[in-house]
Amino acid sequence: GIQVEQSPPDLILQEGANSTLRCNFSDSVNNLQWFHQNPWGQLINLFYIPSGTKQNGRLSATTVATERYSLLYISSSQTTDSGVYFCAAPVVVNTPLVFGKGTRLSVIA
Amino acid sequence: GAVVSQHPSRVICKSGTSVKIECRSLDFQATTMFWYRQFPKQSLMLMATSNEGSKATYEQGVEKDKFLINHASLTLSTLTVTSAHPEDSSFYICSARDFGDSLLGTEAFFGQGTRLTVV
């Protein structure tokens, strides 16, 4: 099955700093997603991004499907950005998502 | 986006009892839902695929007799943890997609999750 690898596993940022999270996948994917898991466990949908670039406020994401990776950019980080960021993709379109191990982000004031 | 609602958000039960977790798609119909489990500081692992009107498909290593899944309608799937033991304590999350008229890939949405503690 597909393998999803995320880096870095842990990241500590000073408030206001920028960061880039990376997601590599072992095979072609059709619908990669990025999530933020908050301290209560809720998975918040950030991006549904099979290819190309999308932006939402201070967050943006880019997926280069031909090279099998996706990047999540966080600019001007805030303490509320802390949590775990997951990328996930299905083995085949519309099958269950396979998750990476996540990047644990801590933003300190 | 589509809304998936999960209940309860937190439950504590005694060892040997059963617990039922509900997952509802609120504004769309879901012929398929997915159940995941997450242990502390780990990623989400797929447990089973719930299919409306038919048997669930379980991942390797997941006991189907322990984790009973019922998908009786197009908006509701339930996961029952039977004869729960402390090692079943975990965070359980359901997911569904709103396919609409699309035959292409669609975005998956998740319930709020249920934190189960077995004492």
Side-chain angles (χ1 to χ4, degrees):
Chain A
I2 190 171
Q3 304 294 319
V4 181
E5 295 184 358
Q6 291 187 244
S7 59
D10 297 280
L11 185 60
I12 300 175
L13 294 177
Q14 197 75 35
E15 195 170 28
N18 303 326
S19 64
T20 301
L21 282 56
R22 187 177 180 100
C23 176
N24 291 331
F25 31 94
S26 60
D27 207 343
S28 300
V29 297
N30 294 98
N31 43 357
L32 183 129
Q33 293 186 235
W34 283 97
F35 299 91
H36 175 213
Q37 188 168 40
N38 66 22
W40 297 272
Q42 172 80 53
L43 279 175
I44 309 298
N45 287 42
L46 296 179
F47 294 101
Y48 167 68
I49 185 166
S51 63
T53 297
K54 291 186 178 180
Q55 180 154 8
N56 185 1
R58 295 181 295 104
L59 302 181
S60 64
T62 295
T63 295
V64 184
T66 54
E67 297 187 23
R68 301 178 183 175
Y69 74 89
S70 183
L71 302 174
L72 177 68
Y73 305 96
I74 304 174
S75 64
S76 303
S77 58
Q78 300 176 359
T79 55
T80 52
D81 295 331
S82 297
V84 183
Y85 290 80
F86 289 104
C87 66
V91 175
V92 176
V93 63
N94 292 329
T95 56
L97 293 178
V98 176
F99 282 77
K101 293 185 177 181
T103 293
R104 188 171 299 274
L105 174 65
S106 297
V107 181
I108 54 178
Chain B
V3 178
V4 177
S5 179
Q6 191 173 336
H7 178 80
S9 58
R10 184 183 296 268
V11 59
I12 300 173
C13 71
K14 290 185 177 181
S15 188
T17 61
S18 296
V19 173
K20 181 185 284 188
I21 303 170
E22 293 187 347
C23 179
R24 294 181 183 275
S25 57
L26 295 188
D27 50 0
F28 65 100
Q29 294 181 333
T31 56
T32 303
M33 292 185 178
F34 307 104
W35 287 95
Y36 293 81
R37 180 168 53 183
Q38 184 182 29
F39 291 107
K41 298 192 183 300
Q42 294 188 20
S43 187
L44 281 76
M45 296 300 295
L46 179 69
M47 297 177 64
T49 299
S50 173
N51 304 298
E52 188 269 336
S54 65
K55 292 183 179 180
T57 305
Y58 291 83
E59 295 300 298
Q60 191 172 10
V62 178
E63 300 176 56
K64 62 180 181 180
D65 294 329
K66 181 167 191 60
F67 299 100
L68 299 180
I69 291 174
N70 184 275
H71 196 149
S73 78
L74 289 172
T75 59
L76 174 64
S77 175
T78 60
L79 169 67
T80 301
V81 183
T82 63
S83 186
H85 289 98
E87 56 265 32
D88 299 325
S89 298
S90 188
F91 190 62
Y92 294 87
I93 316 175
C94 66
S95 172
R97 289 191 178 91
D98 178 8
F99 287 95
D101 295 326
S102 175
L103 295 178
L104 303 177
T106 58
E107 188 173 0
F109 292 88
F110 286 78
Q112 302 93 320
T114 297
R115 193 165 303 281
L116 170 64
T117 303
V118 184
V119 298

